[in-house]
Structure formats: structure tokens, C-alpha cells
Amino acid sequence: MAWDFSTEPEFQEKLDWVERFCREQVEPLELVFPYAVRARDPKLKALVKELQDQVKEQGLWALFLDEDLGGPGFGQLKLGLLNEILGRYGSAPQIFGAGAPDTGNIEMLAAYGTDAQKERWLTPMLNQELWSAYSMTEPQSGSDPNLFTTHAVKDGDEWVINGEKWFTSAGRVADLLFVMCTNGMFVVPRKTPGVEIMPEPRNHNHIIYNDVRIPADHLLGPEDGAKVLAQRRLGGGRIHHAMRTISQCKLAFDMMCERALSRESHGKIIGDHQMVQEKIADSYASIRMLRLLVLETAWKIDNTSTQEARTDIAAVKFTMAKVLREVSFNALHILGSLGTTNLTPLQAMYATAPTMGIADGVDEVHKATVARNVLKGYRPHEGNWPTEYLPAKRQAAWEAFEPRFVEDPQLREMAEGYAAYIAKKG
């Protein structure tokens, strides 16, 4: 029997190095040079490369890729523990070559791309010479692929794409757009004629594809295979997001506890007030429960498959948004007016929580998925009474004991005494 919550010493050393590296080198870089990871300036690129070279020396580059796809092949559990550290620092995922939305797109390319596609796009993306975005959601359909209308039509040696996509994160600055159509997944260079990026929203872009012509070899994977590719992309990615969300929750919790011991109200530190203690206790328990759920789900993926763990993955998705919302709200209240400003990470964290409940499918969809899958393991009871209806269970138990009662009348008398006591008790 294996039931263990420990981390092997060799990998713990890796985790310790990552934590120290992020705290001592990654965070200072992003505080002095925000967005340096995407900077074009040679001096800033050199600073970023210096850190990325250290990551590569540790064998931690593109750590989300399985070994057969050219990565370190850590598996979801180890990857989750690493992302629990990276999520505390905004630019850390890019420093480790593991930033969304590129990670999922790289994984699709590595798993389904032809040799020519990998040479043209995968290698430059791994080297961060090209950036990508994932163009899936539609204004009316949301994230339900069964309702998508964006479609590609074959015309000679080209595909012609028409449709409209919404909330394509980082689409404005991407070099490549991975566009999910009703009949396939397509790689569209952003500067292709007909790609129209609307002025708003600024960060999660609204894109219209108007007679966009791309070569035939820009189809990724099989025709009509978009759903399969999307599931490959999103399943493990939700574990990454969840562990990074946990790191944000822990950051909020650290700020909450520090502040509770530093401020006074009504003659004592606020940490001595029961309402503050309640927020701390509830936040602690929520974070711990979420962490165990996510790590168990990661373990399940490693030992079975993403498909087998789909119910748990969906549960992780809506739970992480809920916990981030509650913990950041508690921390914001304990910090008071300071928490509502942009002078700490809290305000942005709390503002992000609703997005977490919508991105990659709204929480309601994932809750429905969990409920449907859970109910498949149950059957309706026969007759008027549920399985746990106690009078019926007692009668069945009495019948099962009847042979023993025949052998031992005294045992029957004892049972009748208990039955009389229960009947009198009501």
C-alpha cells in the first residue's frame, strides 16, 4: 500500500532551488523591469536570457512537456508542486519557458504537429522567439465547442477561415493564433490579411476572421480533430492554473496573517479579535483542502489519464476560483483600505477571481459536468424508500439474523429488547 504525502529528497532540492531562484532573482527583475520577459530591447532580453540559462542548467526548461514530447517529463504531480512556487511571481512561468497561453499551444504542436510544423513553429516558440495565443471562445457560444460557428473552408491549397472569436488572451501581441474552428485547429499568423483585432478589450482580445487565407499545411492535427486537441490542451493546463492559484492564495494568506499581527484595534492587535480569527481559520482550511484536491487530481492523471480524471479536473476548476475569491476577500478586509489600492497585490488578486471562474469554461458548466459524472455511479432505489431508510434496513437485518435466533433464543430476546428500546425512543 502506498499512501504518502512526502516529496523525495532529490526533487525537494529542485523545489528549494526554484523557490530561492524566484525570490532572489526573478522577483527583483520583474519589479525593476516589468514585462521584461516579452521585451524586444537587447539589454532586457539579455537579462532574461541570463536567468533562463540558469533554468536550463537545472533541467527545468519547458517543464510542462512530457518526456516523449521533448520535455523533462515530470508528470502532473511534480509539475503541480513546481507551479505552486512559480505562481507567486508574475514572470516566473515565462522565465521557465512555461507561460500560458504558449504552454498549451506548444503541447498541441509537440503532440500533433508534423515535422515541418515543429521546425517552423515549435522550436521558435520553445526559444521564445515566437509568442502565441489561443483563439477559442466565441461571443455568443462562450466556450462550448458544440455551439461554435467559426469555420474553415478548403479552397485549393488553402483554407479560408470566417468567424468571430472573443477573449483571445494576448492575441494583440501574439505572432501566432491557434484558432479553434468547427472542423479543425488552425495556426494563423496574426498578420495574415483578414485578421481584425478589435480595439477592446485590450488584453483579452476580440478578433474577427474575415476571409482569412492560410496554406493547407496550417491545419494542426486531423481535420475535425479540434475537440481532441483542445482537451489535450486544457486538461493538464487546469492543474497548472490551480497550483498557481494556490500560490496566490498563500500569498494573500501570508499578507493577511502578517497584518493581523501588526495592526491594533480597540486596544489589542486585530489578530486577537474573533472575526479576524475566523477569516484566518476559514482561509487556512480552504487553501489546505484545495491543495490536497489538486495534488490528488494530479496524481490521478499521472496514474491513469486526463480522461479518467475529468470529474476531478472539473471540480478543481470551479473550486480554485471560489477559494481565490474568498481568501483574497478575507485578506483585503484584514488589510483594510490599503488592500483596496494597487500598493499591494491584493486588489488585483481579488479582481482576477471572477475571471478565474469564467476562463476555460464558466464554473456552472464544470459543476454540471461533475454532477453528471458523479450521478453515473449511482442508481435509483426501488420502491418508496431510499436505501438508508432505517425501518427497512432493520427488518432486513432481523431476517438475516433469524437463523442465529433459532439456534439461540436468548439472543432473540436481547434483540427484541433493543427493538423495544428503539421503538420507545421514537
Side-chain angles (χ1 to χ4, degrees), residues 1 39-41 55 72 94 97 118 157 177 196 211 257 283 322:
M1 176 179 178
R40 304 290 185 182
D41 185 279
V55 171
Q94 283 80 10
K118 291 177 182 179
D157 59 355
L177 301 167
E196 303 174 16
D211 287 333
C257 293
S283 298
K322 175 177 180 287

Side-chain angles (χ1 to χ4, degrees), residues 92-357:
Q94 283 80 10
I95 295 293
F96 281 73
D102 292 293
T103 48
N105 296 335
I106 287 173
E107 188 172 357
M108 287 194 300
L109 263 175
Y112 297 99
T114 64
D115 290 341
Q117 288 174 334
K118 291 177 182 179
E119 183 179 355
R120 184 188 306 147
W121 297 315
L122 179 59
T123 301
M125 286 176 67
L126 284 170
N127 294 333
Q128 294 188 350
E129 296 164 358
L130 290 177
W131 301 95
S132 68
Y134 187 49
S135 204
M136 180 186 76
T137 308
E138 297 191 2
Q140 294 299 319
S141 311
S143 57
D144 186 350
N146 295 315
L147 301 177
F148 288 172
T149 59
T150 301
H151 190 73
V153 176
K154 192 72 176 293
D155 184 18
D157 59 355
E158 291 183 320
W159 290 97
V160 183
I161 298 176
N162 280 283
E164 193 170 357
K165 293 293 185 179
W166 171 251
F167 245 63
T168 299
S169 301
R172 180 183 303 279
V173 294
D175 299 294
L176 302 172
L177 301 167
F178 285 68
V179 184
M180 188 172 178
C181 295
T182 57
N183 57 329
M185 189 78 69
F186 296 86
V187 182
V188 179
R190 176 177 54 84
K191 295 184 179 180
T192 304
V195 175
E196 303 174 16
I197 300 180
M198 302 296 101
E200 300 293 342
R202 296 290 297 173
N203 297 324
H204 306 284
N205 305 120
H206 177 193
I207 303 178
I208 296 175
Y209 297 91
N210 186 17
D211 287 333
V212 174
R213 289 183 171 271
I214 54 173
D217 63 0
H218 283 41
L219 169 67
L220 179 59
E223 189 173 350
D224 296 320
K227 289 183 182 180
V228 174
L229 270 69
Q231 285 305 312
R232 172 66 183 256
R233 183 188 193 282
L234 294 173
R238 290 185 177 126
I239 299 299
H240 312 172
H241 283 304
M243 291 306 291
R244 292 175 190 175
T245 299
I246 289 170
S247 70
Q248 289 292 297
C249 291
K250 291 171 72 174
L251 174 58
F253 186 75
D254 290 345
M255 296 171 63
M256 179 194 314
C257 293
E258 180 187 68
R259 194 66 167 171
L261 296 174
S262 305
R263 293 186 68 193
E264 289 189 8
S265 175
H266 300 284
K268 56 184 177 181
I269 60 170
I270 62 173
D272 288 338
H273 291 282
Q274 287 187 341
M275 292 187 70
V276 172
Q277 292 171 348
E278 181 184 44
K279 285 181 169 58
I280 291 172
D282 285 346
S283 298
Y284 175 83
S286 295
I287 294 170
R288 297 297 297 171
M289 287 188 287
L290 173 60
R291 185 176 189 269
L292 288 172
L293 171 62
V294 177
L295 291 178
E296 185 196 22
T297 303
W299 174 87
K300 188 176 290 187
I301 294 172
D302 287 342
N303 287 275
T304 56
S305 66
T306 300
Q307 180 66 15
E308 288 293 321
R310 63 191 184 280
T311 302
D312 302 273
I313 292 171
V316 162
K317 170 61 174 63
F318 66 76
T319 304
M320 69 179 182
K322 175 177 180 287
V323 172
L324 177 62
R325 181 171 64 249
E326 293 173 352
V327 172
S328 60
F329 180 81
N330 288 341
L332 192 151
H333 268 246
I334 289 176
L335 261 74
S337 57
L338 178 62
T340 68
T341 71
N342 61 358
L343 300 176
T344 77
L346 273 181
Q347 197 276 338
M349 199 181 297
Y350 183 59
T352 300
T355 303
M356 295 295 292

